[in-house]
Structure formats: structure tokens, C-alpha cells
Amino acid sequence: MSTITVHDKTFSTFLSAAEINKQVNRVADEINRDYQDKCPLFIAILNGSFMFASDLFKALNINAQICFIKLASYQGVKSTGHVVTSIGLDVSLKDRDVVVIEDIVDTGKTLHEFLPQILDQHPASLKLASLLHKPESLKYPIHIDYLGFSIPNKFVVGYGLDYDGLGRNFKEIFQLSA
Ligand code: 5GP
């Protein structure tokens, strides 16, 4: 097992590049099967999902489009305080089969706030693909249609995911050492 240091913390190998590749291809097979005669629009949420979105999209053999958005969260706007808005969504979603691509669903709060904004635009259908999911952390009722891995409630980096801006470049996923 190899370890890396990112900023002040040590992380150990958790998912190898081969394991990630296998599950990304399995997810792509499911999407290829479900959208054979459709032309889905993928919305990849930046920054964390960029590597997953790229590998997933390359493994599709259907007609498909992709666009990228950033979500901005604002703390303390109200007493309950967390509002998510999307930046850069310049494609009409009306009557489209939309698939949102996320890196990880943790509490589910981000998507709980964001997915209704997509539904407001009346897509024909809406599904969610996430590389990772921490079921123990989930606090909101988010259904993941296409999932790479369920993982324990420990912080991970690599394959697009960062710790304070660093660690995105690794092709493996590392878990915070105890
Ligand atoms: P949620 O709104 O589901 O609680 O949080 C989702 C976001 O939190 C993810 O898109 C990701 O940016 C961040 N996040 C949650 N857990 C982790 C983790 O273990 N590692 C990293 N790098 N980011 C995480």
C-alpha cells in the first residue's frame, strides 16, 4: 500500500486505477443500455467530477452531449444558510434526458438543493451518476441511479477529488489515514 502526503495530512491507497476503471466501465455499460435510442445531456459538476466525467463519457457508445457547471454555495444567507446556484448552464434542459455527473454524494445536501433547479426546467427525465457515495453520511433523500462505489465515511482524495486544492491529479483514490 502506498501513501501520499497532501498539505499536512497522510492518505493511503484505497481504490486502484484498475478498480476505478472497471467500475466506470460498468456504469457506462448501464448508461449505454438505458439510453440506446436516446441522446442524453450530461451535466458534469465541476471541479471534482472532471476525471470521472471524462472517462465515463469516453466509454459511451451512444449519441450524447455534455456540459459543465460549477455550483456556488453561500453560507449564512439566511439563518439556515446554504443556497446552491449553478454557474455556466447555458443549454436548454426542456424535454431533454438529463444525467447529472457528480464526484461524491456525502450528506446529499448539495444535490438536494441543486436537482430541483434542474426539474424546474422541465427535462424529459433526470438521473444521477456519482462515482462515490458515503451512505453513512447521507442526510437528504438522494437516489443515485448510476453509482461507482459505496465507501466508508472517511475523507478521500485523488481522481479529481481534492484536499484544499491539491490531490486531484492522482489516478488512484486515497483515503485519509487514521
Ligand atoms: P454533500 O453536499 O453531498 O454533503 O457534499 C458533496 C460535496 O462535498 C462533493 O461534491 C465534494 O466536493 C465534497 N466532499 C464530500 N466528501 C468528500 C471527500 O471525502 N473528499 C473530497 N475531496 N470531497 C468531498
Side-chain angles (χ1 to χ4, degrees):
M1 180 188 286
S2 68
T3 61
I4 56 166
T5 300
V6 183
H7 294 296
D8 55 337
K9 300 208 186 306
T10 306
F11 295 82
S12 321
T13 309
F14 176 56
L15 299 170
S16 69
E19 285 172 304
I20 295 168
N21 187 44
K22 186 175 169 200
Q23 294 309 319
V24 171
N25 285 329
R26 193 253 311 147
V27 168
D29 286 346
E30 292 172 15
I31 293 174
N32 283 328
R33 183 197 62 211
D34 292 352
Y35 290 88
Q36 272 176 46
D37 45 7
K38 296 185 172 156
C39 180
L41 171 64
F42 290 82
I43 301 177
I45 301 177
L46 297 174
N47 294 324
S49 78
F50 80 97
M51 240 182 236
F52 174 46
S54 170
D55 286 345
L56 181 67
F57 204 62
K58 277 186 286 185
L60 297 179
N61 57 22
I62 51 172
N63 283 316
Q65 280 180 278
I66 190 165
C67 65
F68 301 87
I69 60 159
K70 282 198 119 167
L71 294 183
S73 344
Y74 300 95
Q75 300 286 352
V77 178
K78 295 178 184 166
S79 55
T80 50
H82 184 269
V83 178
V84 170
T85 55
S86 64
I87 301 167
L89 188 56
D90 52 5
V91 186
S92 170
L93 306 185
K94 188 166 167 32
D95 298 329
R96 297 299 307 269
D97 292 304
V98 172
V99 182
V100 169
I101 304 179
E102 179 63 300
D103 53 354
I104 181 165
V105 177
D106 185 18
T107 65
K109 182 162 190 160
T110 307
L111 290 172
H112 179 72
E113 293 182 5
F114 176 59
L115 295 180
Q117 295 175 31
I118 295 193
L119 289 172
D120 281 349
Q121 298 193 40
H122 306 289
S125 66
L126 173 59
K127 290 200 173 181
L128 173 63
S130 182
L131 177 68
L132 304 172
H133 175 37
K134 292 179 180 167
E136 293 158 30
S137 308
L138 198 68
K139 295 200 175 98
Y140 297 83
I142 296 296
H143 175 72
I144 303 171
D145 301 280
Y146 304 104
L147 175 64
F149 302 87
S150 280
I151 64 169
N153 189 14
K154 283 191 179 171
F155 193 79
V156 291
V157 296
Y159 195 68
L161 290 103
D162 74 311
Y163 167 44
D164 207 6
L166 297 182
R168 294 191 198 277
N169 48 298
F170 295 102
K171 54 183 180 294
E172 307 89 4
I173 291 177
F174 295 83
Q175 191 177 56
L176 186 61
S177 299

PDB file of all heavy atoms in Angstrom, residues 4-7 9 11 20 47-48 50-51 155-175:
ATOM      1  N   ILE A   4       0.452   8.946   0.365  1.00  0.00           N
ATOM      2  CA  ILE A   4       0.825  10.265  -0.144  1.00  0.00           C
ATOM      3  C   ILE A   4       0.573  11.283   0.966  1.00  0.00           C
ATOM      4  O   ILE A   4      -0.235  11.045   1.867  1.00  0.00           O
ATOM      5  CB  ILE A   4       0.014  10.671  -1.397  1.00  0.00           C
ATOM      6  CG1 ILE A   4      -1.505  10.614  -1.116  1.00  0.00           C
ATOM      7  CG2 ILE A   4       0.370   9.816  -2.595  1.00  0.00           C
ATOM      8  CD1 ILE A   4      -2.356  11.313  -2.160  1.00  0.00           C
ATOM      9  N   THR A   5       1.294  12.404   0.868  1.00  0.00           N
ATOM     10  CA  THR A   5       1.050  13.493   1.801  1.00  0.00           C
ATOM     11  C   THR A   5       0.501  14.661   1.007  1.00  0.00           C
ATOM     12  O   THR A   5       1.076  15.066  -0.007  1.00  0.00           O
ATOM     13  CB  THR A   5       2.355  13.907   2.507  1.00  0.00           C
ATOM     14  OG1 THR A   5       2.844  12.766   3.204  1.00  0.00           O
ATOM     15  CG2 THR A   5       2.105  15.029   3.506  1.00  0.00           C
ATOM     16  N   VAL A   6      -0.641  15.171   1.436  1.00  0.00           N
ATOM     17  CA  VAL A   6      -1.249  16.343   0.797  1.00  0.00           C
ATOM     18  C   VAL A   6      -1.423  17.388   1.896  1.00  0.00           C
ATOM     19  O   VAL A   6      -2.092  17.118   2.906  1.00  0.00           O
ATOM     20  CB  VAL A   6      -2.615  16.000   0.156  1.00  0.00           C
ATOM     21  CG1 VAL A   6      -3.188  17.224  -0.552  1.00  0.00           C
ATOM     22  CG2 VAL A   6      -2.499  14.837  -0.820  1.00  0.00           C
ATOM     23  N   HIS A   7      -0.797  18.551   1.690  1.00  0.00           N
ATOM     24  CA  HIS A   7      -0.719  19.550   2.756  1.00  0.00           C
ATOM     25  C   HIS A   7      -0.166  18.862   4.016  1.00  0.00           C
ATOM     26  O   HIS A   7       0.883  18.255   3.960  1.00  0.00           O
ATOM     27  CB  HIS A   7      -2.073  20.222   3.007  1.00  0.00           C
ATOM     28  CG  HIS A   7      -2.553  21.053   1.842  1.00  0.00           C
ATOM     29  ND1 HIS A   7      -1.895  22.176   1.404  1.00  0.00           N
ATOM     30  CD2 HIS A   7      -3.634  20.919   1.035  1.00  0.00           C
ATOM     31  CE1 HIS A   7      -2.549  22.699   0.370  1.00  0.00           C
ATOM     32  NE2 HIS A   7      -3.599  21.939   0.133  1.00  0.00           N
ATOM     33  N   LYS A   9      -1.620  16.310   5.689  1.00  0.00           N
ATOM     34  CA  LYS A   9      -2.261  15.024   6.011  1.00  0.00           C
ATOM     35  C   LYS A   9      -1.721  13.871   5.156  1.00  0.00           C
ATOM     36  O   LYS A   9      -1.296  14.073   4.023  1.00  0.00           O
ATOM     37  CB  LYS A   9      -3.776  15.126   5.809  1.00  0.00           C
ATOM     38  CG  LYS A   9      -4.416  16.187   6.692  1.00  0.00           C
ATOM     39  CD  LYS A   9      -5.847  15.864   7.008  1.00  0.00           C
ATOM     40  CE  LYS A   9      -6.531  16.991   7.760  1.00  0.00           C
ATOM     41  NZ  LYS A   9      -5.834  17.429   8.971  1.00  0.00           N
ATOM     42  N   PHE A  11      -2.443  10.188   3.373  1.00  0.00           N
ATOM     43  CA  PHE A  11      -3.519   9.384   2.786  1.00  0.00           C
ATOM     44  C   PHE A  11      -2.937   8.065   2.285  1.00  0.00           C
ATOM     45  O   PHE A  11      -1.818   8.030   1.787  1.00  0.00           O
ATOM     46  CB  PHE A  11      -4.147  10.113   1.601  1.00  0.00           C
ATOM     47  CG  PHE A  11      -4.867  11.391   1.955  1.00  0.00           C
ATOM     48  CD1 PHE A  11      -4.162  12.586   2.135  1.00  0.00           C
ATOM     49  CD2 PHE A  11      -6.249  11.415   2.093  1.00  0.00           C
ATOM     50  CE1 PHE A  11      -4.822  13.768   2.452  1.00  0.00           C
ATOM     51  CE2 PHE A  11      -6.913  12.586   2.409  1.00  0.00           C
ATOM     52  CZ  PHE A  11      -6.197  13.774   2.586  1.00  0.00           C
ATOM     53  N   ILE A  20     -11.054   1.507 -10.322  1.00  0.00           N
ATOM     54  CA  ILE A  20     -11.869   2.649 -10.758  1.00  0.00           C
ATOM     55  C   ILE A  20     -12.292   2.441 -12.207  1.00  0.00           C
ATOM     56  O   ILE A  20     -13.464   2.591 -12.559  1.00  0.00           O
ATOM     57  CB  ILE A  20     -11.090   3.969 -10.594  1.00  0.00           C
ATOM     58  CG1 ILE A  20     -10.800   4.247  -9.114  1.00  0.00           C
ATOM     59  CG2 ILE A  20     -11.863   5.136 -11.222  1.00  0.00           C
ATOM     60  CD1 ILE A  20      -9.805   5.368  -8.872  1.00  0.00           C
ATOM     61  N   ASN A  47     -15.592  21.165  -9.559  1.00  0.00           N
ATOM     62  CA  ASN A  47     -14.407  20.678 -10.235  1.00  0.00           C
ATOM     63  C   ASN A  47     -14.251  19.148 -10.101  1.00  0.00           C
ATOM     64  O   ASN A  47     -13.659  18.509 -10.958  1.00  0.00           O
ATOM     65  CB  ASN A  47     -13.137  21.323  -9.637  1.00  0.00           C
ATOM     66  CG  ASN A  47     -13.080  22.796  -9.892  1.00  0.00           C
ATOM     67  OD1 ASN A  47     -13.493  23.290 -10.919  1.00  0.00           O
ATOM     68  ND2 ASN A  47     -12.547  23.533  -8.924  1.00  0.00           N
ATOM     69  N   GLY A  48     -14.756  18.600  -9.007  1.00  0.00           N
ATOM     70  CA  GLY A  48     -14.376  17.244  -8.610  1.00  0.00           C
ATOM     71  C   GLY A  48     -14.689  16.144  -9.598  1.00  0.00           C
ATOM     72  O   GLY A  48     -14.011  15.125  -9.621  1.00  0.00           O
ATOM     73  N   PHE A  50     -14.452  16.083 -12.873  1.00  0.00           N
ATOM     74  CA  PHE A  50     -13.940  16.207 -14.244  1.00  0.00           C
ATOM     75  C   PHE A  50     -13.289  14.929 -14.769  1.00  0.00           C
ATOM     76  O   PHE A  50     -13.448  14.575 -15.937  1.00  0.00           O
ATOM     77  CB  PHE A  50     -13.004  17.424 -14.398  1.00  0.00           C
ATOM     78  CG  PHE A  50     -11.589  17.215 -13.907  1.00  0.00           C
ATOM     79  CD1 PHE A  50     -10.582  16.866 -14.791  1.00  0.00           C
ATOM     80  CD2 PHE A  50     -11.270  17.388 -12.577  1.00  0.00           C
ATOM     81  CE1 PHE A  50      -9.284  16.682 -14.361  1.00  0.00           C
ATOM     82  CE2 PHE A  50      -9.966  17.205 -12.125  1.00  0.00           C
ATOM     83  CZ  PHE A  50      -8.974  16.844 -13.011  1.00  0.00           C
ATOM     84  N   MET A  51     -12.589  14.199 -13.908  1.00  0.00           N
ATOM     85  CA  MET A  51     -11.903  12.986 -14.383  1.00  0.00           C
ATOM     86  C   MET A  51     -12.907  11.855 -14.612  1.00  0.00           C
ATOM     87  O   MET A  51     -12.852  11.157 -15.616  1.00  0.00           O
ATOM     88  CB  MET A  51     -10.869  12.540 -13.357  1.00  0.00           C
ATOM     89  CG  MET A  51      -9.476  12.533 -13.926  1.00  0.00           C
ATOM     90  SD  MET A  51      -8.268  11.972 -12.749  1.00  0.00           S
ATOM     91  CE  MET A  51      -7.180  13.381 -12.773  1.00  0.00           C
ATOM     92  N   PHE A 155     -12.571  10.806   4.600  1.00  0.00           N
ATOM     93  CA  PHE A 155     -12.246  11.765   3.552  1.00  0.00           C
ATOM     94  C   PHE A 155     -11.315  11.127   2.511  1.00  0.00           C
ATOM     95  O   PHE A 155     -10.348  10.445   2.868  1.00  0.00           O
ATOM     96  CB  PHE A 155     -11.580  12.991   4.168  1.00  0.00           C
ATOM     97  CG  PHE A 155     -11.493  14.151   3.227  1.00  0.00           C
ATOM     98  CD1 PHE A 155     -12.599  14.948   2.988  1.00  0.00           C
ATOM     99  CD2 PHE A 155     -10.311  14.431   2.551  1.00  0.00           C
ATOM    100  CE1 PHE A 155     -12.536  16.009   2.102  1.00  0.00           C
ATOM    101  CE2 PHE A 155     -10.240  15.486   1.666  1.00  0.00           C
ATOM    102  CZ  PHE A 155     -11.347  16.271   1.442  1.00  0.00           C
ATOM    103  N   VAL A 156     -11.631  11.337   1.232  1.00  0.00           N
ATOM    104  CA  VAL A 156     -10.809  10.771   0.155  1.00  0.00           C
ATOM    105  C   VAL A 156     -10.336  11.861  -0.810  1.00  0.00           C
ATOM    106  O   VAL A 156     -10.983  12.909  -0.948  1.00  0.00           O
ATOM    107  CB  VAL A 156     -11.587   9.686  -0.640  1.00  0.00           C
ATOM    108  CG1 VAL A 156     -11.818   8.438   0.199  1.00  0.00           C
ATOM    109  CG2 VAL A 156     -12.911  10.224  -1.179  1.00  0.00           C
ATOM    110  N   VAL A 157      -9.207  11.591  -1.457  1.00  0.00           N
ATOM    111  CA  VAL A 157      -8.675  12.488  -2.494  1.00  0.00           C
ATOM    112  C   VAL A 157      -8.207  11.659  -3.683  1.00  0.00           C
ATOM    113  O   VAL A 157      -8.019  10.449  -3.577  1.00  0.00           O
ATOM    114  CB  VAL A 157      -7.476  13.344  -2.010  1.00  0.00           C
ATOM    115  CG1 VAL A 157      -7.865  14.301  -0.911  1.00  0.00           C
ATOM    116  CG2 VAL A 157      -6.303  12.465  -1.588  1.00  0.00           C
ATOM    117  N   GLY A 158      -7.985  12.343  -4.794  1.00  0.00           N
ATOM    118  CA  GLY A 158      -7.461  11.695  -5.996  1.00  0.00           C
ATOM    119  C   GLY A 158      -8.551  11.524  -7.039  1.00  0.00           C
ATOM    120  O   GLY A 158      -9.737  11.674  -6.739  1.00  0.00           O
ATOM    121  N   TYR A 159      -8.144  11.250  -8.265  1.00  0.00           N
ATOM    122  CA  TYR A 159      -9.067  11.038  -9.385  1.00  0.00           C
ATOM    123  C   TYR A 159     -10.081  12.194  -9.448  1.00  0.00           C
ATOM    124  O   TYR A 159     -11.275  12.011  -9.553  1.00  0.00           O
ATOM    125  CB  TYR A 159      -9.763   9.682  -9.241  1.00  0.00           C
ATOM    126  CG  TYR A 159     -10.467   9.208 -10.499  1.00  0.00           C
ATOM    127  CD1 TYR A 159      -9.745   8.851 -11.639  1.00  0.00           C
ATOM    128  CD2 TYR A 159     -11.859   9.120 -10.551  1.00  0.00           C
ATOM    129  CE1 TYR A 159     -10.392   8.417 -12.784  1.00  0.00           C
ATOM    130  CE2 TYR A 159     -12.512   8.687 -11.690  1.00  0.00           C
ATOM    131  CZ  TYR A 159     -11.773   8.334 -12.803  1.00  0.00           C
ATOM    132  OH  TYR A 159     -12.413   7.913 -13.933  1.00  0.00           O
ATOM    133  N   GLY A 160      -9.561  13.401  -9.347  1.00  0.00           N
ATOM    134  CA  GLY A 160     -10.410  14.591  -9.466  1.00  0.00           C
ATOM    135  C   GLY A 160     -10.790  15.224  -8.145  1.00  0.00           C
ATOM    136  O   GLY A 160     -11.125  16.401  -8.101  1.00  0.00           O
ATOM    137  N   LEU A 161     -10.731  14.438  -7.060  1.00  0.00           N
ATOM    138  CA  LEU A 161     -11.139  14.994  -5.760  1.00  0.00           C
ATOM    139  C   LEU A 161      -9.932  15.610  -5.060  1.00  0.00           C
ATOM    140  O   LEU A 161      -8.833  15.049  -5.096  1.00  0.00           O
ATOM    141  CB  LEU A 161     -11.743  13.904  -4.872  1.00  0.00           C
ATOM    142  CG  LEU A 161     -13.098  13.399  -5.323  1.00  0.00           C
ATOM    143  CD1 LEU A 161     -12.978  12.058  -6.002  1.00  0.00           C
ATOM    144  CD2 LEU A 161     -14.045  13.298  -4.143  1.00  0.00           C
ATOM    145  N   ASP A 162     -10.177  16.734  -4.392  1.00  0.00           N
ATOM    146  CA  ASP A 162      -9.061  17.475  -3.795  1.00  0.00           C
ATOM    147  C   ASP A 162      -9.144  17.541  -2.278  1.00  0.00           C
ATOM    148  O   ASP A 162     -10.192  17.340  -1.684  1.00  0.00           O
ATOM    149  CB  ASP A 162      -9.036  18.902  -4.319  1.00  0.00           C
ATOM    150  CG  ASP A 162     -10.139  19.759  -3.709  1.00  0.00           C
ATOM    151  OD1 ASP A 162     -11.309  19.312  -3.694  1.00  0.00           O
ATOM    152  OD2 ASP A 162      -9.833  20.858  -3.211  1.00  0.00           O
ATOM    153  N   TYR A 163      -7.995  17.864  -1.694  1.00  0.00           N
ATOM    154  CA  TYR A 163      -7.965  18.339  -0.313  1.00  0.00           C
ATOM    155  C   TYR A 163      -7.368  19.736  -0.381  1.00  0.00           C
ATOM    156  O   TYR A 163      -6.197  19.897  -0.724  1.00  0.00           O
ATOM    157  CB  TYR A 163      -7.116  17.410   0.566  1.00  0.00           C
ATOM    158  CG  TYR A 163      -6.778  17.990   1.924  1.00  0.00           C
ATOM    159  CD1 TYR A 163      -7.754  18.648   2.681  1.00  0.00           C
ATOM    160  CD2 TYR A 163      -5.491  17.889   2.457  1.00  0.00           C
ATOM    161  CE1 TYR A 163      -7.447  19.183   3.918  1.00  0.00           C
ATOM    162  CE2 TYR A 163      -5.182  18.426   3.696  1.00  0.00           C
ATOM    163  CZ  TYR A 163      -6.166  19.079   4.410  1.00  0.00           C
ATOM    164  OH  TYR A 163      -5.863  19.630   5.635  1.00  0.00           O
ATOM    165  N   ASP A 164      -8.198  20.727  -0.151  1.00  0.00           N
ATOM    166  CA  ASP A 164      -7.767  22.121  -0.177  1.00  0.00           C
ATOM    167  C   ASP A 164      -6.981  22.446  -1.461  1.00  0.00           C
ATOM    168  O   ASP A 164      -5.894  23.019  -1.414  1.00  0.00           O
ATOM    169  CB  ASP A 164      -6.923  22.415   1.067  1.00  0.00           C
ATOM    170  CG  ASP A 164      -6.992  23.879   1.456  1.00  0.00           C
ATOM    171  OD1 ASP A 164      -7.767  24.628   0.829  1.00  0.00           O
ATOM    172  OD2 ASP A 164      -6.251  24.278   2.366  1.00  0.00           O
ATOM    173  N   GLY A 165      -7.514  22.016  -2.594  1.00  0.00           N
ATOM    174  CA  GLY A 165      -6.948  22.386  -3.892  1.00  0.00           C
ATOM    175  C   GLY A 165      -5.937  21.403  -4.457  1.00  0.00           C
ATOM    176  O   GLY A 165      -5.639  21.429  -5.644  1.00  0.00           O
ATOM    177  N   LEU A 166      -5.401  20.517  -3.630  1.00  0.00           N
ATOM    178  CA  LEU A 166      -4.383  19.575  -4.107  1.00  0.00           C
ATOM    179  C   LEU A 166      -4.918  18.137  -4.113  1.00  0.00           C
ATOM    180  O   LEU A 166      -5.874  17.819  -3.405  1.00  0.00           O
ATOM    181  CB  LEU A 166      -3.137  19.635  -3.221  1.00  0.00           C
ATOM    182  CG  LEU A 166      -2.386  20.962  -3.206  1.00  0.00           C
ATOM    183  CD1 LEU A 166      -1.141  20.842  -2.304  1.00  0.00           C
ATOM    184  CD2 LEU A 166      -1.971  21.396  -4.613  1.00  0.00           C
ATOM    185  N   GLY A 167      -4.240  17.286  -4.902  1.00  0.00           N
ATOM    186  CA  GLY A 167      -4.548  15.851  -4.891  1.00  0.00           C
ATOM    187  C   GLY A 167      -5.435  15.389  -6.032  1.00  0.00           C
ATOM    188  O   GLY A 167      -5.673  14.199  -6.190  1.00  0.00           O
ATOM    189  N   ARG A 168      -5.897  16.325  -6.853  1.00  0.00           N
ATOM    190  CA  ARG A 168      -6.830  15.942  -7.927  1.00  0.00           C
ATOM    191  C   ARG A 168      -6.167  15.088  -9.007  1.00  0.00           C
ATOM    192  O   ARG A 168      -6.822  14.364  -9.723  1.00  0.00           O
ATOM    193  CB  ARG A 168      -7.397  17.189  -8.620  1.00  0.00           C
ATOM    194  CG  ARG A 168      -8.279  18.055  -7.752  1.00  0.00           C
ATOM    195  CD  ARG A 168      -8.999  19.088  -8.621  1.00  0.00           C
ATOM    196  NE  ARG A 168      -9.532  20.199  -7.847  1.00  0.00           N
ATOM    197  CZ  ARG A 168     -10.692  20.185  -7.192  1.00  0.00           C
ATOM    198  NH1 ARG A 168     -11.434  19.107  -7.210  1.00  0.00           N
ATOM    199  NH2 ARG A 168     -11.099  21.241  -6.520  1.00  0.00           N
ATOM    200  N   ASN A 169      -4.849  15.228  -9.156  1.00  0.00           N
ATOM    201  CA  ASN A 169      -4.143  14.655 -10.295  1.00  0.00           C
ATOM    202  C   ASN A 169      -3.915  13.146 -10.205  1.00  0.00           C
ATOM    203  O   ASN A 169      -3.617  12.512 -11.213  1.00  0.00           O
ATOM    204  CB  ASN A 169      -2.791  15.344 -10.473  1.00  0.00           C
ATOM    205  CG  ASN A 169      -2.010  15.439  -9.173  1.00  0.00           C
ATOM    206  OD1 ASN A 169      -2.485  16.090  -8.232  1.00  0.00           O
ATOM    207  ND2 ASN A 169      -0.859  14.817  -9.107  1.00  0.00           N
ATOM    208  N   PHE A 170      -4.054  12.547  -9.027  1.00  0.00           N
ATOM    209  CA  PHE A 170      -3.739  11.121  -8.906  1.00  0.00           C
ATOM    210  C   PHE A 170      -4.767  10.256  -9.620  1.00  0.00           C
ATOM    211  O   PHE A 170      -5.956  10.549  -9.600  1.00  0.00           O
ATOM    212  CB  PHE A 170      -3.676  10.717  -7.427  1.00  0.00           C
ATOM    213  CG  PHE A 170      -2.554  11.399  -6.696  1.00  0.00           C
ATOM    214  CD1 PHE A 170      -2.814  12.478  -5.867  1.00  0.00           C
ATOM    215  CD2 PHE A 170      -1.253  10.972  -6.867  1.00  0.00           C
ATOM    216  CE1 PHE A 170      -1.776  13.121  -5.202  1.00  0.00           C
ATOM    217  CE2 PHE A 170      -0.206  11.615  -6.208  1.00  0.00           C
ATOM    218  CZ  PHE A 170      -0.479  12.692  -5.372  1.00  0.00           C
ATOM    219  N   LYS A 171      -4.283   9.170 -10.233  1.00  0.00           N
ATOM    220  CA  LYS A 171      -5.233   8.295 -10.940  1.00  0.00           C
ATOM    221  C   LYS A 171      -5.851   7.256 -10.011  1.00  0.00           C
ATOM    222  O   LYS A 171      -6.773   6.558 -10.381  1.00  0.00           O
ATOM    223  CB  LYS A 171      -4.598   7.646 -12.169  1.00  0.00           C
ATOM    224  CG  LYS A 171      -3.322   6.891 -11.956  1.00  0.00           C
ATOM    225  CD  LYS A 171      -2.819   6.377 -13.309  1.00  0.00           C
ATOM    226  CE  LYS A 171      -1.523   5.595 -13.174  1.00  0.00           C
ATOM    227  NZ  LYS A 171      -0.396   6.443 -12.725  1.00  0.00           N
ATOM    228  N   GLU A 172      -5.357   7.176  -8.767  1.00  0.00           N
ATOM    229  CA  GLU A 172      -5.974   6.337  -7.744  1.00  0.00           C
ATOM    230  C   GLU A 172      -6.771   7.237  -6.793  1.00  0.00           C
ATOM    231  O   GLU A 172      -6.633   8.445  -6.827  1.00  0.00           O
ATOM    232  CB  GLU A 172      -4.913   5.601  -6.896  1.00  0.00           C
ATOM    233  CG  GLU A 172      -3.896   4.812  -7.681  1.00  0.00           C
ATOM    234  CD  GLU A 172      -2.674   5.644  -8.061  1.00  0.00           C
ATOM    235  OE1 GLU A 172      -2.588   6.819  -7.648  1.00  0.00           O
ATOM    236  OE2 GLU A 172      -1.820   5.115  -8.785  1.00  0.00           O
ATOM    237  N   ILE A 173      -7.557   6.576  -5.928  1.00  0.00           N
ATOM    238  CA  ILE A 173      -8.233   7.318  -4.855  1.00  0.00           C
ATOM    239  C   ILE A 173      -7.603   6.908  -3.527  1.00  0.00           C
ATOM    240  O   ILE A 173      -7.387   5.716  -3.266  1.00  0.00           O
ATOM    241  CB  ILE A 173      -9.751   7.081  -4.876  1.00  0.00           C
ATOM    242  CG1 ILE A 173     -10.336   7.767  -6.128  1.00  0.00           C
ATOM    243  CG2 ILE A 173     -10.425   7.629  -3.608  1.00  0.00           C
ATOM    244  CD1 ILE A 173     -11.819   7.566  -6.335  1.00  0.00           C
ATOM    245  N   PHE A 174      -7.273   7.926  -2.721  1.00  0.00           N
ATOM    246  CA  PHE A 174      -6.610   7.721  -1.433  1.00  0.00           C
ATOM    247  C   PHE A 174      -7.551   8.118  -0.306  1.00  0.00           C
ATOM    248  O   PHE A 174      -8.341   9.055  -0.440  1.00  0.00           O
ATOM    249  CB  PHE A 174      -5.345   8.585  -1.351  1.00  0.00           C
ATOM    250  CG  PHE A 174      -4.283   8.213  -2.343  1.00  0.00           C
ATOM    251  CD1 PHE A 174      -4.339   8.690  -3.651  1.00  0.00           C
ATOM    252  CD2 PHE A 174      -3.221   7.388  -1.978  1.00  0.00           C
ATOM    253  CE1 PHE A 174      -3.359   8.351  -4.578  1.00  0.00           C
ATOM    254  CE2 PHE A 174      -2.248   7.036  -2.903  1.00  0.00           C
ATOM    255  CZ  PHE A 174      -2.318   7.520  -4.209  1.00  0.00           C
ATOM    256  N   GLN A 175      -7.404   7.413   0.817  1.00  0.00           N
ATOM    257  CA  GLN A 175      -8.260   7.653   1.983  1.00  0.00           C
ATOM    258  C   GLN A 175      -7.404   8.216   3.115  1.00  0.00           C
ATOM    259  O   GLN A 175      -6.269   7.763   3.313  1.00  0.00           O
ATOM    260  CB  GLN A 175      -8.852   6.310   2.402  1.00  0.00           C
ATOM    261  CG  GLN A 175      -9.943   6.367   3.407  1.00  0.00           C
ATOM    262  CD  GLN A 175     -10.480   4.970   3.686  1.00  0.00           C
ATOM    263  OE1 GLN A 175      -9.722   4.058   4.067  1.00  0.00           O
ATOM    264  NE2 GLN A 175     -11.752   4.762   3.474  1.00  0.00           N
TER     265      GLN A 175
END
